[in-house]
Amino acid sequence: MNLRKPLILTVVASALVGSLVMNSFSATAASVPGVSSTEIVLGMQLPQTGPASPGYNKIDDAARAYFDYVNSKGGVNGRSIKLVVKDDEYKAGRTITTARELINNDKIFAFFGSVGTQTHLSVVKDINRRGIPDLFVNSGYSGFYTDPKKYPNTFGGLGTYTVEAKILGKYLKEKYPDKKIGILWQSDDFGRNALAGLTASGLKFEARKTSASFVAGTQGSIGLGTQIGQMKANGVEIVIIAAVSSATAVAYATAAALAYKPTKWAVISVGADSTTFQTILGARGTAPATSAALLAGTISASHAPAAGDADDEYIKAFKKINDDFNKATGSGKVWDNNVFQGMNLAYLATAALLGAGKDLTRAKLVSYLKNNGSKLSSAAFSPLGYSNTTHEAFTGFWLGEYDASLVLKPIGGTRVVYTTDSANGPVTVSNYKRPAIAADALPRVG
Amino acid sequence: MSKVKSHKVIGFRSTRLAIIFFLFILLLSMQFGPYNQFQLANISTLLIAVLSITLLTGASGQISLGQGAIMAVGGYSAALLVTRLEISMWLAFVLAIFISALFGLFLGLAAARLSGPYLAGTTLVMALAIPSIAIRFDSFFSGDIGFSVDYGYPPDWLTNLLGEISIEEWSLYVALPFAALSLFAVLNLSNTRSGRTWRAVRDNEVAASLAGINIARTKVIVFVCSSALAGLAGAIYGFRGLVAPSVYPTDLSLLLLTAAVIGGLRSIGGAIFGTFVIVFLPDVIEKITKFLELPETISIYLPALMIGLLLLITVILNPRGSAGALEHIRHRHKH
């Protein structure tokens, strides 16, 4: 490399000119970042592309559809809500960059609904250090929420894996006391949290006999033959799956190939999305009727009504908004659990922004959620756990079984919501009664 | 006597170029907003990793598709040292260089027996396998959760000197000196006897062997130097927020190789240019797609597509990269 003096001068001069040009475009800082008299800017990071994107990439469009609906009704305290979305491809290294982009370039007021545990782990410390509200993270990892001193601005958007597993574990232990229960889990935070919850409920698993694990993300390449074969060889009658939907699909297909028919499958809700299940098996050549028959009868849990529950008032209202306002094309707009989740979190965010008041600041929003967040309602049948001691979202789940049309129906016909915490608290029946949705489908705060 | 003088000249030129790079980036950062300051920190960090490829592939002809994995070795070393032994981040970075170099020594011993596609395949397997080790031995490496680590806060003396320092500026102040030092080291290495020896091995192993060069030893030494750089880059890269398997995916290795190829595998200036391209091109494309109001279904795929296209065009039209093209133009002007 031979840099001569004129070249050096040219480079330095170009740098100066370039930087001055860039400076002329830089926006002036507002007193509260992301809040003006007419607008509130929220930022979301999620995988819009890449292997982890199917299903999750519908959440942003659904949330934006609800915000657009709110804006069409006059916004929140006269301000419209703008959602800026960045594709982090589910790579933590990329998430760090997109977070900085949202903070510094888009000047967001708060993060909202970001998807993924590992990806969010890479930025959660930085977000909290800067005092930015981190609303309704789409992750059930309890480590984000159970110690508010560590992450004071981060609030959950899903029930934790531990809570759900404790409730599921208690039910299975009582319902099937004589059956041999095993678990297939992915060896990451999700699998470990679920395993901890099931163990806390009194279930016991034996490594290489009734407990089989695999490295998350490898299900497609390894086929889970060894793990399912182990279950079959050890006579496991009830198989619990704590893995993502693509792994659930592979596990069911492998079991069918091995002629292994456990008495019951029970799947943690994150891995039991029927649309993703059927899509993945469909790509492997399984007819929809066959894949539906495989999943039918499976036990799973939910904090909210099933997306397919056409009679539910929230589902009806959200579906209508999705039809009218969702700008996604093709399958991105098709109603399912992911669309429902995106819309429900947007409803919750609208309520929180309303509650924080007209003189909106980051500190006021966080304070409002800590002190009043548990009083907010959404489509969920479960109460919210937000308080000064925990930032967990939905603290309750009801258990159901997939019917032949793959709608999750309450076990025994009546929906019973159980509640517990992510620690050692007991599982009890929740007496929470979900408030009705207003006629205009907008949240009300007291 | 002339040899001593020659080394002095080389040392002076390397120092001058490293200082110019340092001042150039610093000057840019002073005019930029926080996001672009952060991107300059990314450039400084990734440049160290791209230089490790320039050294390995450009100078000695050994292909590695696993530099991301060596970055993971550096990242995990530094994170473990900071979180378990509670030593300072700076010392951890220095120790990460040595640990990665040691890893490079073992890798080099195996690599010395391999070449071409066999070496590329082996390093690719390494890129796939090393992050999985963290998951397999999760009690030690903290599994998927990894280690939440960052650069911390700037020291008081620096704040007193410069005034309030943003998180983005601090990221740059951490990464940039290491980048300048790495640049200095690689420039020095390339232009000294070692560099000439490596190039001799790259160009013709038989001729180099007949000239008395120990081929296997040379290859191992290059691997050690390259791994030291990659490990340092990995440590700085991880301390942006998280050291975990998902921070060092396989495609990080491929992205680094892309930067080196676009810039020109044998050129240090090319490495700088290539790093600028992979960091800033996605931002430029985003601005263009916003201006043209392209639908999301197209805009989200464009950055990867454009970088891929650029790589293909480089390989087809000018395999020596932008540096080679610049040299070609300069040569034509002379004649």
Side-chain angles (χ1 to χ4, degrees):
Chain A
M1 205 168 71
N2 186 16
L3 287 178
R4 287 165 299 177
K5 272 185 184 172
L7 183 58
I8 297 166
L9 284 173
T10 313
V11 169
V12 173
S14 312
L16 267 173
V17 171
S19 57
L20 287 171
V21 170
M22 292 295 283
N23 253 11
S24 65
F25 286 109
S26 64
T28 50
S31 54
V32 179
V35 178
S36 68
S37 57
T38 56
E39 196 175 64
I40 301 166
V41 186
L42 302 178
M44 178 190 271
Q45 320 193 80
L46 83 169
Q48 289 180 304
T49 57
S53 64
Y56 298 136
N57 57 8
K58 300 169 83 171
I59 293 175
D60 56 327
D61 291 315
R64 192 181 282 117
Y66 186 80
F67 289 141
D68 285 348
Y69 171 73
V70 172
N71 297 342
S72 75
K73 297 282 178 186
V76 174
N77 291 320
R79 297 182 178 106
S80 59
I81 304 172
K82 180 184 172 189
L83 181 64
V84 184
V85 179
K86 298 288 172 195
D87 176 20
D88 67 6
E89 303 162 32
Y90 211 75
K91 292 173 193 160
R94 175 95 189 113
T95 312
I96 296 169
T97 303
T98 53
R100 303 289 175 110
E101 207 178 347
L102 287 169
I103 296 165
N104 295 309
N105 281 1
D106 300 298
K107 308 214 179 289
I108 57 165
F109 169 66
F111 280 88
F112 161 75
S114 295
V115 174
T117 304
Q118 290 170 49
T119 46
H120 205 66
L121 268 168
S122 67
V123 292
V124 68
K125 202 172 163 185
D126 185 46
I127 292 171
N128 278 274
R129 179 176 158 181
R130 294 172 195 256
I132 302 172
D134 186 16
L135 306 184
F136 318 141
V137 182
N138 268 302
S139 164
Y141 173 57
S142 58
F144 286 140
Y145 320 120
T146 50
D147 184 5
K149 280 184 188 147
K150 194 174 176 187
Y151 302 129
N153 298 320
T154 298
F155 294 85
L158 287 173
T160 69
Y161 306 130
T162 316
V163 165
E164 183 180 346
K166 274 173 77 177
I167 291 167
L168 179 66
K170 184 174 185 288
Y171 169 78
L172 293 175
K173 191 169 184 288
E174 288 171 0
K175 174 81 177 171
Y176 303 104
D178 304 322
K179 302 276 185 195
K180 193 180 246 189
I181 300 176
I183 182 169
L184 171 71
W185 56 287
Q186 59 183 50
S187 59
D188 64 359
D189 55 283
F190 168 29
R192 267 189 292 274
N193 269 206
L195 190 61
L198 291 163
T199 311
S201 71
L203 291 177
K204 289 186 177 69
F205 305 104
E206 202 176 340
R208 285 184 284 277
K209 287 191 174 171
T210 58
S211 170
S213 66
F214 64 95
V215 174
T218 61
Q219 61 271 12
S221 51
I222 65 173
L224 301 176
T226 310
Q227 288 80 355
I228 297 297
Q230 177 195 312
M231 294 286 168
K232 185 182 180 188
N234 286 285
V236 174
E237 294 161 285
I238 313 279
V239 179
I240 304 169
I241 297 182
V244 295
S245 296
S246 57
T248 304
V250 172
Y252 275 61
T254 306
L258 295 175
Y260 172 45
K261 286 184 182 169
T263 311
K264 211 72 179 166
W265 293 92
V267 184
I268 299 288
S269 58
V270 170
D273 182 62
S274 57
T275 313
T276 313
F277 181 88
Q278 286 201 292
T279 306
I280 287 167
L281 286 189
R284 296 162 72 109
T286 308
T290 312
S291 59
L294 283 174
L295 193 62
T298 296
I299 297 172
S300 192
S302 180
H303 59 267
D309 187 348
D311 297 328
D312 185 88
E313 55 176 339
Y314 278 84
I315 298 281
K316 273 186 202 166
F318 287 170
K319 270 181 103 167
K320 172 89 173 65
I321 294 169
N322 186 56
D323 289 343
D324 296 344
F325 286 87
N326 196 332
K327 295 189 183 87
T329 51
S331 61
K333 193 177 174 173
V334 174
W335 180 260
D336 66 5
N337 265 330
N338 294 302
V339 174
F340 177 36
Q341 169 72 357
M343 211 159 270
N344 195 38
L345 290 188
Y347 179 91
L348 202 54
T350 306
L353 291 168
L354 267 173
K358 193 163 175 59
D359 299 325
L360 189 62
T361 65
R362 286 171 166 172
K364 273 187 185 170
L365 178 62
V366 171
S367 171
Y368 177 79
L369 277 171
K370 282 185 179 201
N371 297 313
N372 303 287
S374 60
K375 294 175 201 156
L376 294 177
S377 64
S378 72
F381 290 116
S382 139
L384 289 154
Y386 307 142
S387 71
N388 282 308
T389 52
T390 182
H391 289 179
E392 290 167 77
F394 307 108
T395 56
F397 286 86
W398 58 272
L399 297 169
E401 277 185 7
Y402 279 102
D403 68 7
S405 57
L406 299 191
V407 175
L408 193 69
K409 290 282 170 69
I411 291 173
T414 310
R415 184 184 289 113
V416 181
V417 178
Y418 298 93
T419 185
T420 186
D421 58 17
S422 296
N424 297 318
V427 174
T428 55
V429 174
S430 168
N431 54 11
Y432 173 78
K433 189 153 173 55
R434 182 184 74 171
I437 191 167
D440 58 4
L442 293 173
R444 303 285 189 269
V445 290
Chain B
M1 194 63 191
S2 64
K3 196 177 168 186
V4 175
K5 192 181 171 188
S6 144
H7 279 177
K8 271 187 180 173
V9 169
I10 290 165
F12 176 70
R13 210 177 67 157
S14 307
T15 311
R16 195 180 59 178
L17 291 174
I19 289 173
I20 287 169
F21 171 79
F22 182 89
L23 291 176
F24 172 66
I25 298 288
L26 205 62
L27 198 66
L28 269 180
S29 78
M30 285 173 180
Q31 306 299 321
F32 275 171
Y35 175 68
N36 283 326
Q37 286 173 345
F38 172 72
Q39 290 291 63
L40 287 175
N42 277 340
I43 285 173
S44 302
T45 308
L46 293 177
L47 173 64
I48 303 171
V50 176
L51 284 173
S52 77
I53 295 176
T54 308
L55 210 60
L56 188 70
T57 312
S60 84
Q62 300 183 85
I63 299 167
S64 170
L65 301 178
Q67 292 305 92
I70 302 170
M71 284 177 74
V73 171
Y76 271 97
S77 304
L80 282 164
L81 287 165
V82 166
T83 54
R84 299 272 159 84
L85 301 180
E86 295 183 356
I87 68 168
S88 93
M89 175 187 79
W90 303 102
L91 182 58
F93 284 177
V94 174
L95 291 173
I97 296 173
F98 288 105
I99 295 167
S100 308
L102 193 65
F103 180 81
L105 175 68
F106 292 120
L107 190 65
L109 289 172
R113 297 166 182 270
L114 303 168
S115 62
Y118 304 103
L119 181 57
T122 307
T123 50
L124 182 62
V125 168
M126 184 179 72
L128 291 163
I130 284 190
S132 304
I133 291 172
I135 297 165
R136 275 278 171 240
F137 301 98
D138 63 336
S139 57
F140 187 73
F141 292 110
S142 207
D144 283 67
I145 303 293
F147 299 97
S148 193
V149 283
D150 59 30
Y151 302 132
Y153 293 91
D156 290 342
W157 65 264
L158 194 64
T159 317
N160 292 337
L161 191 71
L162 301 174
E164 196 184 336
I165 296 169
S166 70
I167 293 172
E168 284 73 19
E169 282 172 316
W170 179 230
S171 305
L172 180 64
Y173 297 163
V174 170
L176 184 56
F178 284 109
L181 282 172
S182 304
L183 194 59
F184 168 76
V186 173
L187 279 163
N188 249 340
L189 275 170
S190 302
N191 292 309
T192 53
R193 186 180 167 184
S194 304
R196 287 193 293 275
T197 308
W198 297 350
R199 285 195 290 276
V201 172
R202 177 195 70 195
D203 292 339
N204 193 323
E205 282 192 18
V206 176
S209 182
L210 286 171
I213 295 170
N214 184 329
I215 305 294
R217 198 178 68 176
T218 305
K219 284 185 172 181
V220 173
I221 290 170
V222 182
F223 247 101
V224 169
C225 294
S226 169
S227 301
L229 282 175
L232 171 63
I236 302 170
Y237 192 67
F239 273 62
R240 297 184 314 154
L242 185 73
V243 169
S246 58
V247 178
Y248 306 98
T250 311
D251 57 1
L252 175 63
S253 302
L254 303 179
L255 186 71
L256 295 172
L257 192 60
T258 302
V261 172
I262 288 172
L265 272 167
R266 296 181 181 182
S267 160
I268 291 165
I272 298 173
F273 175 74
T275 313
F276 264 86
V277 169
I278 59 163
V279 173
F280 273 125
L281 190 63
D283 291 343
V284 173
I285 291 169
E286 191 181 323
K287 281 196 168 65
I288 294 170
T289 52
K290 263 187 187 170
F291 178 75
L292 297 175
E293 294 180 356
L294 291 177
E296 199 178 68
T297 42
I298 295 172
S299 65
I300 54 175
Y301 294 102
L302 266 183
L305 184 71
M306 291 307 288
I307 288 177
L309 267 178
L310 201 59
L311 179 66
L312 277 178
I313 291 167
T314 306
V315 171
I316 293 166
L317 296 182
N318 197 327
R320 290 172 66 198
S322 59
L326 206 65
E327 204 175 295
H328 182 68
I329 292 165
R330 219 184 274 163
H331 189 74
R332 274 180 58 184
H333 274 278
K334 270 186 185 172
H335 297 91

